Amino acid sequence: MEIIPNPKEVDGVKVLQLETAAGAAIRFFEKAIGINVPRSRFLPVKATSDLLLVQSDLYTLVDGYVIRNPARVKPSNPSIELGPEFKKVANFLARFKSIPSIVELDSLKVSGDVSFGSGVVLKGNVTIAAKAGVKLEIPDGAVLENKDINGPEDL
């Protein structure tokens, strides 16, 4: 199979990851066929921002199908940008007591040393940016709607 070079940066070190595309192996099998799997059967998770979407109340899994919460009025998913502090799954998970409700969220941008309590609800456009050297904790039960938060005084 063909090797695909994928340059990356891991912990500040430039590396070259060598990959193979599993789908390319189909040519080695006689009478192989491909199937088209609809989005209702899976949601790709390539980054922790995707993980936040699928772990949230925006989707549920029913009989093997990914079902969108009917309470979500807008047809598109919210835009979610998480800073480098959330990049690794272990760090991402450690920053949430529970995944916030995002059914009414339009966009979320989080940067810096931010953690979320349980029962947090995010609505509209929310930006949370902890200043360097400051740990910002979103308290249990907080409802943030169309907010820009740069410090505890903004909560």
Side-chain angles (χ1 to χ4, degrees):
M1 292 193 340
E2 299 166 16
I3 303 276
I4 303 165
N6 185 5
K8 292 187 171 196
E9 190 169 314
V10 178
D11 296 329
V13 177
K14 291 184 179 186
V15 297
L16 184 62
Q17 179 175 322
L18 302 177
E19 302 176 350
T20 58
I26 197 167
R27 70 176 184 234
F28 295 108
F29 298 91
E30 289 183 32
K31 299 181 184 177
I33 61 169
I35 58 171
N36 186 12
V37 179
R39 289 281 184 200
S40 63
R41 295 289 296 182
F42 80 103
L43 287 171
V45 175
K46 293 190 173 210
T48 52
S49 56
D50 301 326
L51 185 58
L52 179 59
L53 283 173
V54 299
Q55 287 188 335
S56 76
D57 57 352
L58 194 58
Y59 292 99
T60 56
L61 191 61
V62 178
D63 297 326
Y65 287 87
V66 179
I67 306 297
R68 185 182 202 131
N69 188 329
R72 173 75 178 179
V73 177
K74 297 194 175 184
S76 61
N77 283 339
S79 167
I80 297 178
E81 293 179 33
L82 301 175
E85 301 82 6
F86 291 80
K87 187 172 183 176
K88 293 185 178 179
V89 173
N91 294 342
F92 167 87
L93 294 172
R95 294 182 177 278
F96 293 96
K97 280 188 188 175
S98 68
I99 299 297
S101 171
I102 63 169
V103 171
E104 297 181 55
L105 182 68
D106 294 324
S107 70
L108 173 66
K109 292 181 183 179
V110 182
S111 61
D113 189 1
V114 178
S115 61
F116 292 80
S118 62
V120 173
V121 178
L122 305 173
K123 299 179 180 185
N125 299 300
V126 178
T127 301
I128 306 168
K131 296 172 185 160
V134 175
K135 182 173 178 61
L136 185 54
E137 296 184 23
I138 308 303
D140 293 350
V143 177
L144 306 179
E145 184 170 2
N146 295 318
K147 298 272 283 187
D148 286 325
I149 298 172
N150 297 297
E153 65 279 1
D154 296 328
L155 289 170

